[in-house]
């Protein structure tokens, strides 16, 4: 796991998300499309998020609060 500080809060990630001991899922609204975001529960506090097209690619490791804020920002268009 890597942590980088870009002058803001620390963000953790892993380079190969397939090594995480999680069960990945994506929204049922995504259908059979492969251009989706998948999530997996790492522990009580951490959710992993990855690109479904790259199952061995990197994953962000977010707290539940950070993930909720990200989803809210996407829904409201606040992340432009």
């Amino acid at each position: 796991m890597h942590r980088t500080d870009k002058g803001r809060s620390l963000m953790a990630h892993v380079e190969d998300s397939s090594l995480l001991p999680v069960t990945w899922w994506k929204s049922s609204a995504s259908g059979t499309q492969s251009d989706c975001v998948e999530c997996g529960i790492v522990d009580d506090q951490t959710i992993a998020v990855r690109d479904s097209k790259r199952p061995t690619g990197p994953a962000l490791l977010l707290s539940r609060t950070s993930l909720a804020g990200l989803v809210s920002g996407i829904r409201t268009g606040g992340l432009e």
Side-chain angles (χ1 to χ4, degrees), residues 2-20:
H2 302 283
R3 294 187 180 273
T4 51
D5 186 356
K6 303 284 185 188
R8 297 183 180 181
S9 61
L10 251 38
M11 182 183 306
H13 74 280
V14 294
E15 292 297 325
D16 185 346
S17 60
S18 69
L19 300 177
L20 290 170

Side-chain angles (χ1 to χ4, degrees), residues 4-76:
T4 51
D5 186 356
K6 303 284 185 188
R8 297 183 180 181
S9 61
L10 251 38
M11 182 183 306
H13 74 280
V14 294
E15 292 297 325
D16 185 346
S17 60
S18 69
L19 300 177
L20 290 170
V22 302
T23 299
W24 295 97
W25 80 90
K26 61 183 177 178
S27 170
S28 59
S30 63
T32 59
Q33 298 174 351
S34 64
D35 55 347
C36 302
V37 172
E38 293 180 313
C39 296
I41 298 172
V42 177
D43 58 37
D44 289 344
Q45 300 297 316
T46 310
I47 307 296
V49 180
R50 72 178 180 182
D51 181 346
S52 65
K53 294 184 304 287
R54 299 185 60 205
T56 60
L60 295 177
L61 301 175
L62 303 171
S63 69
R64 291 177 180 270
T65 302
S66 294
L67 181 58
L70 175 62
V71 170
S72 175
I74 291 168
R75 284 184 177 155
T76 63

